[in-house]
Structure formats: structure tokens, C-alpha cells
Amino acid sequence: MAMQFYASPEQIMRDRSEYARKGIARGRSVVVLSYEGGVLFVAENLSTALHKVSEIYDRIGFAAVGRYPEFENLRSAGVRLADLHGYSYGRRDVTGRQIANAYARTLGAIFTEQQKPFEVEICVAEVGTTAEDDELYRITYDGSVQDEPGLVTMGGQSDAISGAVKTRFRADQTLAEALKLAVEGLGSVGGENGQPRKLAANQLEVAVLDRNRPGRTFRRLTGLALTAILEDGTKPATEAEPEAEPEAEPEAGLEDKPEPPASPSTPADNASGPAPSDDGEPAE
């Protein structure tokens, strides 16, 4: 009589976790961070048609790593959920926390109930009125949710990238500074013999949630706009222009000195008659 195969629940969960982590580690990384003007998404992506960064709703963005068909299904479900909730109640009632909780429930159910878990890792970001109000949620393959303050790194060697970015991260940095920091973090791993890589604009997918933009805040940075920001963040500072020479100051004692009177031979004096001589007689 053949014995039925048995594996403990703990072993099954460990095997699923290992399977999902290996699949996510094969993907290229994504960095999401806050800056003074909003939330920045930077992904290493060679494809121009398959996006790893997308819009969910007015002030909510989405980034993911792992298997594209799986996280694209999740993105589409999040868009439908946000549209339905915003239409039924109000656009302001749609929040990043609500979308993140829905993703967590879905991924948790898939991880525990299905034989194969999703090989994905997701970030849901909502831009606030200030950098302190930004909300960044990281959802893993097993449905766990983590509220990350200002910075999220996912996929590939995320721990090494996070260590390279955290040391210089500031919430008040400009867009050019934040983009340069994220690109340097992505390029700090994966090089030959541990050397950093230099990533070009055509190897990146960049988007922002602009906090100063009314309505839909999501916009992509592509082409010349992205290249200009990257070059502006990497070029050396220009030399200071020479100061203009100060105007020559008048000599001391001559600033308010009145003009001397006209000479006796000027037409103005001759117009009133000949000038008197020293003995009182008119001069010839």
C-alpha cells in the first residue's frame, strides 16, 4: 500500500517563500522616494512598452518588480477598484492605504491557497501636501504590508541599493538631486567585479507624482526632459562670473563742491554792460 505524501505546513510555506524570492531577485530593481516636489519613481527598465511604473488614481502611483503578467493583473485590478470607489463615493475617498490593503488581501490569499505564489513585490505611493504627508507602502509576495517613511527599494539586490541611497537621502532634495541619487543607487550593484555601473536615460523608466499639480499628479519623464535632468545633476558647477568693477568714486572733497563762477569775459557777464575797473571807471 502506497503511503500518501505529506509535508508540514511550515515546510510548504518555506518552499513557497523561497520560490517567490528567487523569482523577484531575478528582476531589475525599482527605487521610490520622496522629494520636495512630490514622489519619484525610478526603475531600471529596457522596455519602452512594458511599464513597471504606472498611475492608479489622481494622487496614487504604482511600481512593481517580478513577473510582468502577474503584477500587471494586480495593477489593472487596482485601477478598477479605485475608479469604482471614486465613482460611488468621491474622488477624495480613494486613498493609497485602501489600495495597499486590497493588494495585501489578494496576495495573502494567493500565497496561502494556491500552489504557486505570485512572484511580485509592489509599492503603492500617495503624494501629500508636504513630504512628511507622503505615504509609501511596500507589499510583498505573501501579503505583508510595510509603511516605509520616504524610501522604498525593491527587487534584485534591494538591500545593497537601500544602503547606498539611505546614507544621502533627504526629503527636501530637488528633483535633479533625487533622480541622481536613485540612479546612482541602482548603478551601485550589478557591475563587473563589484564596480558601479553608469545607467543611461534609455535604460530607465522615470515618473513622478507632482504635489503642486492639481487633479491628476502622475506624469512620466522621458526623452529630452529626462536627459536634461540627468545631465544637469551630473555636470560640474560653473565657474563664478567675475564681479563687475566698482564705479570710480569722486575724489574726496569734490562730491558736493559747487561749480566755479563764469569768467568775466563770458557773454553772460558782458550782456549787462562792461565790467567796472579797479578805480571805479568803466573799462574800455
Side-chain angles (χ1 to χ4, degrees):
M1 180 177 178
M3 296 183 62
Q4 184 178 2
F5 174 77
Y6 172 79
S8 65
E10 293 83 359
Q11 184 62 42
I12 294 175
M13 294 303 166
R14 282 196 296 268
D15 292 342
R16 291 178 180 177
S17 298
E18 184 179 0
Y19 177 85
R21 282 197 298 266
K22 287 182 177 179
I24 294 171
R26 288 192 293 267
R28 294 184 175 91
S29 300
V30 175
V31 176
V32 183
L33 69 162
S34 297
Y35 71 102
E36 64 175 0
V39 178
L40 174 66
F41 301 84
V42 183
E44 187 178 354
N45 188 6
L46 301 178
S47 175
T48 58
L50 306 179
H51 297 303
K52 302 171 71 172
V53 177
S54 301
E55 178 186 20
I56 293 292
Y57 211 59
D58 291 346
R59 305 181 70 83
I60 303 173
F62 171 94
V65 294
R67 291 181 60 87
Y68 176 79
E70 294 177 349
F71 68 69
E72 178 62 17
N73 288 337
L74 293 172
R75 185 199 65 84
S76 300
V79 172
R80 290 195 298 269
L81 173 64
D83 285 340
L84 178 61
H85 197 83
Y87 179 78
S88 301
Y89 300 97
R91 301 189 73 88
R92 294 184 178 180
D93 294 330
V94 181
T95 63
R97 181 181 301 176
Q98 180 188 51
I99 304 299
N101 289 334
Y103 282 145
R105 291 193 299 268
T106 301
L107 288 174
I110 293 172
F111 181 78
T112 56
E113 297 174 6
Q114 297 187 12
Q115 185 175 2
K116 176 194 172 301
F118 273 17
E119 303 168 54
V120 297
E121 198 168 354
I122 294 173
C123 175
V124 175
E126 180 178 3
V127 65
T129 55
T130 62
E132 290 75 15
D133 297 330
D134 294 341
E135 297 181 3
L136 276 66
Y137 299 99
R138 178 181 180 181
I139 305 100
T140 55
Y141 56 88
D142 59 351
S144 301
V145 183
Q146 299 176 4
D147 182 9
E148 302 286 350
L151 175 64
V152 173
T153 58
M154 303 182 298
Q157 305 178 35
S158 59
D159 294 337
I161 295 174
S162 177
V165 175
K166 275 186 177 180
T167 56
R168 294 184 294 158
F169 171 74
R170 303 191 328 272
D172 60 345
Q173 57 194 348
T174 63
L175 175 58
E177 293 172 343
L179 180 57
K180 179 182 177 182
L181 177 60
V183 172
E184 289 180 355
L186 292 174
S188 64
V189 298
E192 296 182 359
N193 299 324
Q195 297 297 319
R197 298 175 297 151
K198 185 176 182 181
L199 299 176
N202 59 358
Q203 298 175 273
L204 300 171
E205 182 183 358
V206 181
V208 297
L209 295 174
D210 191 347
R211 75 174 80 255
N212 299 318
R213 191 175 184 181
R216 298 174 63 180
T217 61
F218 183 88
R219 62 186 178 94
R220 296 187 182 276
L221 299 178
T222 59
L224 295 178
L226 176 59
T227 304
I229 297 176
L230 288 174
E231 292 178 352
D232 180 69
T234 55
K235 68 181 182 180
T238 57
E239 295 182 0
E241 297 182 357
E243 298 181 358
E245 296 182 0
E247 298 181 358
E249 298 181 357
E251 297 181 5
L254 298 181
E255 295 86 346
D256 299 326
K257 185 176 181 179
E259 296 182 358
S263 61
S265 60
T266 58
D269 292 335
N270 294 336
S272 59
S277 61
D278 294 342
D279 54 359
E281 296 181 358
E284 294 180 357

